[in-house]
Amino acid sequence: MKNLLPTWLYLAISKEFPEEYVYELRVRLNKPLLINFKGRPYELIINDGTSNEPYIASSDLISYIVSVATKQSLYAYAEQIKKGYISTDNGVRIGLCGTGVYNDENLSMLKQITSLNIRFGHKIYGCSKDIIKFVLDGDTVKNTLIISPPGAGKTTLLRDLIFKLSNEFCIQNILVVDERFELAGLAQEFDLGKNVDVISGTNKKFAFTDGLKVMNPSIIVADEIADEEDIESIKSASKSGVKVIATAHAKNIEELNKRKNFENFVGGFFERVVVLSKRNGVGTIEGVFTPSGKCVFVPYLI
């Protein structure tokens, strides 16, 4: 956060909200800046000695953040920007809203950025300890899907799970598909473990085909599977015997099964489904289930 914001704004935020518990900043043009602190939104109140008013985000602030995030080179980040995000150091991803510029029928750029969603990556050691034995299968793992609504901690849980599988359980040759630089970070700032290889900035199809061929992994890990291409890539890789750990957005198994492309995939492929929520704060583990919904672990029952 410190490296993205003007110094005065960083100091104002960190004074009221300890940085390790800031999960997101919502920066919307001419609207109050919102801070997601421990899973709840707060406005930043500026006390100028005469009044207490929420800080209103300006176009100058948005331009400043985008300029710093792209290292003053929008062209270098053009491929990311036209997909609606910018990845920066330390697993930070900035979602973008603005005006689309089209070349024929293809989106070529976003301009006049009006909204930023700055998501901060966190490494919480040990957050996967309660579920790890339920996804292990001898010297490998069961095909496992982690699901949660957006912002409920699935990437953080996945990051810790990878580290534990590699370092504590010494599972060899884990290939991590870090499509948007969130799991390992832009310069691999997050240590995912000694037995981990990371392929960054590529789509899942490339990673699950070419990465599989050249790295010969025993496990492939991917964050946020979303469409038919992702699913087909996973199915194809599994034919070689590789195990898969992945995440997806959904409130529960029933909701996921109603989504296009997922209705016959979850039960036909995965052996374990880990469900997270924000019910008791970000990263609440609701349980570990079979794809049919049978519970194999609920934290509060143990």
Side-chain angles (χ1 to χ4, degrees):
M1 184 164 65
K2 182 177 182 180
N3 295 330
L4 276 177
L5 302 178
T7 300
W8 75 266
L9 182 56
Y10 167 75
L11 292 174
I13 293 173
S14 59
K15 180 180 178 181
E16 298 295 329
F17 304 97
E19 189 171 357
E20 61 267 32
Y21 298 114
V22 174
Y23 301 143
E24 290 182 351
L25 293 182
R26 295 271 181 171
V27 185
R28 299 180 173 112
L29 181 62
N30 297 327
K31 296 180 181 179
L33 185 146
L34 287 181
I35 301 160
N36 185 317
F37 181 71
K38 294 185 177 181
R40 297 184 62 185
Y42 296 87
E43 293 181 354
L44 176 65
I45 304 300
I46 300 296
N47 186 346
D48 62 3
T50 60
S51 64
N52 292 319
E53 298 291 339
Y55 172 71
I56 304 299
S58 66
S59 59
D60 286 344
L61 176 63
I62 292 174
S63 296
Y64 178 93
I65 294 171
V66 171
S67 178
V68 171
T70 59
K71 299 177 174 62
Q72 292 77 48
S73 177
L74 289 175
Y75 177 80
Y77 286 78
E79 285 301 311
Q80 290 187 18
I81 292 172
K82 74 179 184 180
K83 295 177 183 178
Y85 73 93
I86 300 169
S87 292
T88 70
D89 299 336
N90 298 312
V92 177
R93 186 177 73 177
I94 305 175
L96 309 170
C97 283
T99 302
V101 179
Y102 280 81
N103 182 5
D104 295 326
E105 296 183 356
N106 299 314
L107 180 66
S108 61
M109 179 54 74
L110 283 175
K111 66 176 185 178
Q112 297 173 342
I113 304 299
T114 56
S115 294
L116 306 176
N117 178 22
I118 308 172
R119 300 179 63 182
F120 299 99
H122 294 273
K123 188 171 180 65
I124 302 177
Y125 288 97
C127 64
S128 67
K129 63 181 177 62
D130 289 337
I131 62 102
I132 194 165
K133 67 180 180 181
F134 298 100
V135 306
L136 284 169
D137 188 11
D139 60 354
T140 185
V141 298
K142 301 178 186 295
N143 289 323
T144 299
L145 183 64
I146 302 169
I147 64 174
S148 81
K154 62 185 178 305
T155 301
T156 302
L157 179 74
L158 181 60
R159 191 180 291 123
D160 188 64
L161 181 61
I162 296 166
F163 184 85
K164 282 186 171 296
L165 290 173
S166 171
N167 281 30
E168 294 186 20
F169 293 88
C170 297
I171 292 181
Q172 300 294 308
N173 304 328
I174 302 172
L175 177 63
V176 173
V177 183
D178 199 8
E179 187 173 4
R180 293 184 175 90
F181 307 95
E182 289 186 282
L183 284 168
L186 193 63
Q188 298 195 24
E189 297 92 345
F190 292 111
D191 179 12
L192 297 181
K194 61 185 179 182
N195 296 315
V196 172
D197 303 297
V198 180
I199 184 168
S200 302
T202 69
N203 61 37
K204 296 180 183 68
K205 182 178 180 180
F206 176 86
F208 272 83
T209 54
D210 294 76
L212 179 64
K213 292 175 185 176
V214 299
M215 298 309 298
N216 190 28
S218 58
I219 301 170
I220 298 183
V221 180
D223 203 9
E224 295 188 13
I225 57 173
D227 55 31
E228 184 176 3
E229 182 175 273
D230 292 346
I231 290 172
E232 291 304 315
S233 298
I234 290 173
K235 287 180 179 179
S236 176
S238 70
K239 293 177 182 178
S240 68
V242 67
K243 293 293 186 175
V244 174
I245 301 175
T247 72
H249 284 146
K251 181 173 67 175
N252 50 45
I253 298 173
E254 293 75 20
E255 180 180 281
L256 188 63
N257 281 328
K258 292 177 182 178
R259 287 172 50 187
K260 183 180 179 181
N261 302 320
F262 278 86
E263 57 270 18
N264 298 316
F265 176 55
V266 178
F269 180 81
F270 289 103
E271 301 163 273
R272 290 286 183 264
V273 180
V274 181
V275 180
L276 303 182
S277 76
K278 293 186 279 189
R279 182 169 54 88
N280 293 321
V282 173
T284 298
I285 298 173
E286 295 292 342
V288 181
F289 303 86
T290 66
S292 66
K294 179 182 177 181
C295 181
V296 296
F297 171 68
V298 177
Y300 59 80
L301 293 180
I302 301 300

